[in-house]
Amino acid sequence: MNIPNTRMFSSDNIAPVHPKVMKALQDINVNHCIAYGEDPYSESAIKKFKEIFGDNIDVYFVFNGTAANVLSIANITNTYNSVICSEVCHLNLDECGAPEKYTGCKLIPLPTPDGKIRVEQFHKYMFSFGFEHQSQPKVITITQTSVYGTVYAIDEIKKITGFAHKNNMLVHMDGARISNAAVALNCGFKEMTVDAGVDVLSFGMTKNGLMYGEAVVFFDKKMSENFKYIRKQGSQLASKMRYIAVQYETILSNNLWHENAKKANAMAKLLFEKIKDFKEIKVTQKVEANAVFAVLPAEVIEKIQKEAFFYIWDDTKSEIRWMTSFDTTEEDIENFVKVLRKYLK
């Protein structure tokens, strides 16, 4: 497909690096610096994490979200364990089998109409404990925001973590879009993670203005004592770690993460308001963060894509996904709506 060289709504991954983050990278790109995280920038970034989450945490930087998800779960499981997840989460659909390969665990994907999974779905898998013929449930992983852009309320997270801990299980959160969730819930990161009982977090910011790099945050240091070896074996120990660390220190300072996510969320809400009265468009999920899912007439999708690219989510239903990012503008939305009007008369 010929992808247009215009403003697009395919993903928040396509947005540029935030100018303040790019400047921070340029500013530290001088002189020599101790490698492998023994540098002052990594130390400063970890201090920033502790200001947010408290002192009883361990933070490890990795290159990408797949590594953050897979290695964090590998650290808290054995190969005979199973991991309960949403059927549409990245761990199940978009990690190219990496969770199974590197953890050895069985994924148990649960059906969901809105991307979120619920305690009521877990009970049927609790009867295998101690039965050697079945994998042993160990982790429940939730995605915040969900793949559908919906958001777990804090009470929903607490209900899941309470169930997990009661059954000697742990909870992992894939926080690739955790900033957008925090803005949607009008809360900080701590309230929806450590305060809600989450055990380990994949803390993503690439979709919110970083160039690259993710963080794994363990909310109990005892849980992470071997993670440095797992990270190294997983080829995720960055020698020039200062370039990941300084991005996090920058985005977490002066509320920049909040400013970026607030803008992205607001643009998705604006897009929804502009298209909700189109008779030919059926919005399929609540617009709670920076994603709009909708069904369009199949015959117009490719025509619209040629002018402002986006992804088809489910071609059997002609369901598409529109994503907004921190640099999406009101003009972008207006121009896109004009394109929609051209083909949806």
Side-chain angles (χ1 to χ4, degrees), residues 143-158:
T143 308
Q144 183 74 320
T145 64
S146 81
V147 171
Y148 284 131
T150 54
V151 179
Y152 283 94
I154 292 175
D155 284 346
E156 291 177 310
I157 298 171
K158 287 181 176 179

Side-chain angles (χ1 to χ4, degrees), residues 140 197 331:
I140 298 170
E331 184 181 8

Side-chain angles (χ1 to χ4, degrees), residues 190-206:
K190 188 171 183 284
E191 292 94 317
M192 77 169 87
T193 56
V194 59
D195 288 351
V198 173
D199 298 289
V200 58
L201 168 68
S202 297
F203 190 78
M205 283 286 171
T206 306

Side-chain angles (χ1 to χ4, degrees), residues 241-261:
M241 199 176 294
R242 57 173 155 160
Y243 294 99
I244 299 178
V246 75
Q247 295 181 77
Y248 269 93
E249 182 178 14
T250 304
I251 201 78
L252 295 175
S253 298
N254 301 318
N255 239 20
L256 181 56
W257 69 267
H258 190 277
E259 176 186 318
N260 286 358

